[in-house]
Amino acid sequence: MASEDRTNYVYEFTYSSAPGLREIFQCKYVRPDEALNRFRKILALTESPFDFKIIVSDETMGEESSFQVKGGSIEEMFVKFKVFLETSTGFIFEPVSEKVTEVGIEEARFESMSNYDKMQVIIYASFKHGKFSSLDVTEIYQDSFSEDLPKSTASTYLARMWNNGKGHLERYGNRSGYTYRLRTEIAEVQKETERAEEILAAIQMRVRD
């Protein structure tokens, strides 16, 4: 680490990777932007993280600041953590043009998305009409992302999405072969559909490039 990049800060990031399971990531003496970038890479390894907390300690001054985010999206959490780091350390993140910011957000969004997240994008963007099965999801997923998604994994993810309490999916059939329908009559589903279409279009352009 170059001497001009060394700081006196210790960063501790805490998040939940599952109910009752907390993960802790710590790094020392790097700049706030580097600390946030490292945390982003660590977080990308977790399927659906939630309940985030950051603690920043200044070893020279003996000061400590913390900030916690419950709920919300990962993107919103990073925006809030960035503002918190600027406030608590005085570090100013380098400004970027609006165009670069948009590209960066889409790239970071793609890199941080889990297979489960990407499957949800496929469902909201591709199955607005009629019923579908895990096999249908697998085929479109593989075509969209050029990645394999086993049918058994898609079945597990669909069951999780159906059972997450949001009520966005209806399920038909039995364990020998479930089919699902996206409840597009719900306003929240319509918003998710619009968002998913935008994300999928951006990701597909990136994958094809």
Side-chain angles (χ1 to χ4, degrees), residues 36-119:
L36 200 60
N37 184 52
R38 292 183 185 184
F39 179 53
R40 185 187 297 276
K41 292 179 180 178
I42 292 294
L43 206 62
L45 302 175
T46 303
E47 189 168 289
S48 300
F50 59 96
D51 289 353
F52 310 94
K53 183 177 181 179
I54 178 175
I55 300 175
V56 179
S57 304
D58 186 330
E59 292 193 336
T60 300
M61 303 299 294
E63 297 177 348
E64 181 178 291
S65 302
S66 65
F67 183 68
Q68 189 168 2
V69 176
K70 289 192 174 183
S73 67
I74 294 177
E75 290 84 2
E76 290 171 341
M77 177 273 294
F78 275 115
V79 170
K80 292 178 180 179
F81 273 14
K82 178 180 176 181
V83 173
F84 167 74
L85 286 169
E86 289 183 330
T87 303
S88 59
T89 68
F91 178 84
I92 303 299
F93 284 77
E94 294 183 6
V96 293
S97 67
E98 183 176 348
K99 181 177 181 180
V100 173
T101 300
E102 291 175 356
V103 173
I105 288 174
E106 294 301 340
E107 183 172 349
R109 177 181 290 167
F110 178 78
E111 294 295 342
S112 64
M113 287 179 71
S114 65
N115 291 342
Y116 179 65
D117 293 331
K118 287 186 278 189
M119 188 207 72

Side-chain angles (χ1 to χ4, degrees), residues 16 24 39 44 47 77 87 108 125 129 143 147 170 172 191:
S16 294
I24 299 175
F39 179 53
E47 189 168 289
M77 177 273 294
T87 303
H129 308 287
D143 181 63
E147 299 175 5
E170 288 181 343
Y172 305 87
K191 292 180 181 179

Side-chain angles (χ1 to χ4, degrees), residues 1-11 27-36 38 89 91-92 94:
M1 184 189 306
S3 58
E4 62 269 20
D5 291 333
R6 183 182 175 86
T7 73
N8 297 313
Y9 295 115
V10 177
Y11 311 86
C27 59
K28 298 181 177 182
Y29 313 136
V30 298
R31 300 192 326 177
D33 55 345
E34 176 62 20
L36 200 60
R38 292 183 185 184
T89 68
F91 178 84
I92 303 299
E94 294 183 6

Side-chain angles (χ1 to χ4, degrees), residues 116 119-120 123-124 132 153-175 178-183 186:
Y116 179 65
M119 188 207 72
Q120 289 188 91
I123 290 172
Y124 285 118
F132 58 92
T153 302
S155 297
T156 300
Y157 286 170
L158 278 167
R160 180 189 303 176
M161 186 176 175
W162 172 73
N163 198 37
N164 65 6
K166 293 183 178 180
H168 290 187
L169 290 181
E170 288 181 343
R171 187 165 78 172
Y172 305 87
N174 51 51
R175 295 184 63 181
Y178 289 115
T179 57
Y180 296 83
R181 185 185 76 86
L182 189 63
R183 300 181 64 191
I186 300 176

Side-chain angles (χ1 to χ4, degrees), residues 127-169:
F127 296 106
K128 298 185 290 293
H129 308 287
K131 298 178 183 178
F132 58 92
S133 67
S134 57
L135 180 59
D136 297 323
V137 173
T138 296
E139 291 176 347
I140 296 182
Y141 181 101
Q142 293 173 344
D143 181 63
S144 299
F145 300 115
S146 299
E147 299 175 5
D148 290 333
L149 181 70
K151 183 175 177 292
S152 59
T153 302
S155 297
T156 300
Y157 286 170
L158 278 167
R160 180 189 303 176
M161 186 176 175
W162 172 73
N163 198 37
N164 65 6
K166 293 183 178 180
H168 290 187
L169 290 181

